[in-house]
Amino acid sequence: MEGWDPTTKSTLTQIPLLTVKAGPRDGAAWTQRLKEEYKVLIAYTSMNKSRDNDWFRISAANPEGTRWTGKCWYVHNLLKYEFDLQFDIPVTYPATAPELELPQLDGKTHKMYRGGKICLTVHFKPLWAKNSPRFGIAHALCLGLAPWLAAEIPVLVDSGMVKHKDDAVSTSEAC
């Protein structure tokens, strides 16, 4: 955690670590892991809300808990930019981190792969590998998606690649 800002350190130390080492192919153990994932996500969401830092909503999109969908948002210049968020749990989870996707931003930045998968290879994947299986979905959001949004969204907005929803409405009304 060397070189991290104090807020990130504080947040990370308060997100519970997971104890069940199981992936989608592990039957009853995966069900236990999934319960743990939900508990950690609830704790992380509650912590964010208590700090007035609520920035995502996700839920499992299938009963097996292998597909997740939701929304994430980032506030820049006092405007809220909201994006669809989706990801699949890899069959090799928790050894492999999920690939977080923001489909609306596909092709708008070089720090993204085809399909809107955000680039996490350089900074996040080694950290995940070092902390697997204790890290889970909440950790991927905190240490993967949150810093990516903070680094990329201001640049995308300032360059005009991303427009605020109110700008799009006022532009269409003017025509």
Side-chain angles (χ1 to χ4, degrees):
M1 291 199 283
E2 229 174 85
W4 290 4
D5 67 278
T7 305
T8 303
K9 278 185 186 179
S10 171
T11 300
L12 183 59
T13 59
Q14 292 180 35
I15 299 174
L17 297 174
L18 291 97
T19 59
V20 178
K21 181 181 180 181
R25 295 181 178 172
D26 295 326
W30 171 244
T31 303
Q32 286 306 114
R33 172 72 182 214
L34 207 49
K35 287 179 184 177
E36 236 183 359
E37 293 278 4
Y38 275 114
K39 286 179 185 175
V40 172
L41 279 166
I42 289 167
Y44 181 44
T45 302
S46 298
M47 179 178 52
N48 284 340
K49 285 183 178 185
S50 71
R51 295 177 175 177
D52 198 25
N53 188 28
D54 191 26
W55 62 275
F56 71 89
R57 291 278 178 281
I58 62 166
S59 61
N62 63 10
E64 299 82 24
T66 57
R67 175 90 178 136
W68 291 73
T69 58
K71 298 273 186 195
C72 63
W73 52 92
Y74 186 81
V75 176
H76 177 64
N77 292 336
L78 302 178
L79 296 174
K80 180 179 175 182
Y81 295 86
E82 188 171 279
F83 309 98
D84 293 331
L85 169 64
Q86 61 190 32
F87 58 92
D88 293 310
I89 299 293
V91 293
T92 55
Y93 187 83
T96 305
E99 293 182 320
L100 307 174
E101 301 172 41
L102 303 172
Q104 293 153 294
L105 299 179
D106 188 17
K108 295 190 178 193
T109 173
H110 65 280
K111 293 184 182 174
M112 184 168 271
Y113 302 114
R114 189 181 342 206
K117 293 178 180 174
I118 66 172
C119 177
L120 297 173
T121 52
V122 175
H123 303 288
F124 178 69
K125 296 243 176 164
L127 185 62
W128 181 278
K130 182 180 174 184
N131 289 284
S132 173
R134 297 179 312 265
F135 274 10
I137 295 168
H139 299 88
L141 295 173
C142 175
L143 297 173
L145 183 59
W148 190 93
L149 289 171
E152 292 299 309
I153 298 307
V155 173
L156 291 171
V157 170
D158 293 344
S159 69
M161 294 294 288
V162 171
K163 302 265 186 231
H164 189 264
K165 62 183 177 185
D166 292 344
D167 289 346
V169 171
S170 62
T171 303
S172 64
E173 288 173 357
C175 295

